Amino acid sequence: MLPSVVAIALLPPRSHQWRSVASVAASRSGTLQCAEEAQIAEAASPVVARPSITGAEYSRGLATVSFVTLLFASNSPVLRSAFTSVEHVPPPLLVNAVASGTALSGLIVGAPLLRGVPAPASIEASATSELNRESLRAGAELGLVKCVGTSFNLYGLSLTSADHGAFLIQLTTLLVPVAQAFQGVPIPPRIWAAVGTALVGLAIFTADPSDAAASLTGDASCVAAALCYALYDLRLFVWGKRVTPLRLIQNKVAAQAALAVTAVPLLAYADARQFVESVTPSDLVALAPLVLWSGIVVNGVAPFLQVGGQQAVGPARAQVVYASGPLWAALLSLAVLGETIGPQGLLGGAAFLAAVLLAAGTPAPDPACEEEVCEV
């Protein structure tokens, strides 16, 4: 229930209000003439308010992000199980290709049901739902970033433990606010303190000698995946206002699947051929439900729901809820895979969670801030 608790703690008193700015310039002699010109200018240039997010939609967005967090948290132990529960291990790029293709099939078949999900109020009135140049560009960009991130994620999980992978990938919780700071968004000092605390905790956690399943190469690959996922979350927030959720995710998954399938013969042909020639029916029976879950649920349904939830909450605030993902992944890894964490790993994980709490305790961002670019 931790995602829900964090979500409730983040609820605003009422609703988000977006500021609207109208600029009217008139400089001529005579008070009456100035007033008349100001009225004419105001009528000619009407105020355009940014879409407002109601308290009910914000609450629904937090609930959606919490549910998405649970789905994403299941991915690390599921994929780790795919690499440890079978005699013949599939190459990560092949798993990525099959999961991406499965996700696309699920989105196409389930489109009638997904169209019934309400669109976020923050979406622009001119947002496209058509298969046009803008939606294709959005899908290609998001699909490329997610495909590279997923490849790093899969490679890392094939070498390191599921709990290590989950904690390291959750660096996005802090990478997203840092990226926003570089874009000119005012970030509170408390967030910077959280960044430093997290870096110390992660250094301790990844150096835990009692975790025999962990590896430096696998951990580095998971960090690379976190960088890709942070960029994905930031760009998803931008494109989610300009393209409707179902069209956006269908295009994104189609691009991701095309890239993943193309990568197999180019980068993993020998490994994929060896796996296909040696795999047994029992291996396929064990792998099928894992790939279906990772494809349809984690890479199909969850990203679709993420669009609307993150539009209502904002990328930085959503990361606070996502931060509980490693805890759920660790619990699933303990229950399903029997993975454990030593004292040093617990200390590092505690420091990382302290950093997340620092970030969560930061005052809510003000959409009417006096800076040129606000946090939301």
Side-chain angles (χ1 to χ4, degrees):
M1 299 302 291
L2 186 54
S4 300
V5 174
V6 176
I8 293 172
L10 290 173
L11 285 174
R14 289 304 243 178
S15 64
H16 280 268
Q17 299 293 331
W18 295 95
R19 60 174 178 172
S20 60
V21 180
S23 177
V24 179
S27 66
R28 291 184 105 172
S29 59
T31 305
L32 181 59
Q33 186 176 4
C34 288
E36 291 176 350
E37 291 181 357
Q39 291 176 355
I40 294 173
E42 185 175 359
S45 302
V47 174
V48 179
R50 295 172 67 182
S52 61
I53 301 294
T54 65
E57 183 170 2
Y58 184 69
S59 302
R60 186 168 60 250
L62 284 173
T64 301
V65 170
S66 299
F67 180 62
V68 168
T69 299
L70 293 176
L71 298 181
F72 284 152
S74 69
N75 204 36
S76 289
V78 164
L79 292 177
R80 179 62 180 171
S81 179
F83 295 122
T84 59
S85 63
V86 294
E87 181 181 356
H88 301 94
V89 180
L93 288 179
L94 181 60
V95 175
N96 189 19
V98 175
S100 299
T102 304
L104 179 59
S105 301
L107 285 172
I108 294 174
V109 173
L113 292 175
L114 297 178
R115 287 194 183 96
V117 178
S122 60
I123 193 171
E124 295 176 358
S126 59
T128 180
S129 61
E130 303 297 326
L131 191 64
N132 54 27
R133 183 175 180 178
E134 184 173 37
S135 69
L136 287 173
R137 179 188 166 198
E141 179 185 331
L142 294 176
L144 173 61
V145 174
K146 197 61 177 286
C147 181
V148 174
T150 302
S151 298
F152 275 123
N153 186 11
L154 287 166
Y155 182 68
L157 289 173
S158 69
L159 299 175
T160 193
S161 62
D163 49 12
H164 259 230
F167 269 91
L168 292 171
I169 290 170
Q170 204 51 51
L171 269 172
T172 54
T173 300
L174 300 168
L175 290 173
V176 168
V178 170
Q180 287 191 305
F182 277 107
Q183 295 173 345
V185 179
I187 302 297
R190 192 162 182 167
I191 294 294
W192 297 117
V195 171
T197 305
L199 291 176
V200 173
L202 286 168
I204 297 173
F205 184 85
T206 54
D208 183 10
S210 65
D211 194 344
S215 77
L216 183 59
T217 303
D219 289 349
S221 184
C222 289
V223 171
L227 292 171
C228 294
Y229 290 160
L231 177 60
Y232 175 84
D233 285 347
L234 290 167
R235 296 302 297 164
L236 181 68
F237 185 68
V238 174
W239 284 116
K241 297 180 182 298
R242 299 162 60 179
V243 183
T244 56
L246 184 57
R247 171 54 58 198
L248 179 61
I249 295 304
Q250 282 182 334
N251 288 5
K252 168 258 178 185
V253 173
Q256 182 179 346
L259 290 169
V261 171
T262 303
V264 174
L266 294 178
L267 303 175
Y269 176 76
D271 292 339
R273 180 177 180 178
Q274 181 180 1
F275 172 76
V276 171
E277 292 176 348
S278 61
V279 67
T280 64
S282 60
D283 290 335
L284 294 177
V285 170
L287 289 172
L290 302 178
V291 174
L292 286 173
W293 178 267
S294 180
I296 295 178
V297 177
V298 178
N299 285 288
V301 175
F304 169 76
L305 296 175
Q306 184 185 14
V307 177
Q310 193 166 290
Q311 285 298 317
V313 176
R317 204 82 60 85
Q319 298 302 319
V320 176
V321 183
Y322 294 152
S324 63
L327 297 178
W328 296 103
L331 290 175
L332 288 171
S333 298
L334 175 63
V336 178
L337 303 177
E339 294 182 355
T340 58
I341 303 176
Q344 185 172 328
L346 290 174
L347 179 61
F352 180 79
L353 293 177
V356 172
L357 291 176
L358 270 175
T362 305
D366 181 12
C369 71
E370 298 180 356
E371 302 291 337
E372 183 177 349
V373 183
C374 294
E375 189 178 351
V376 296

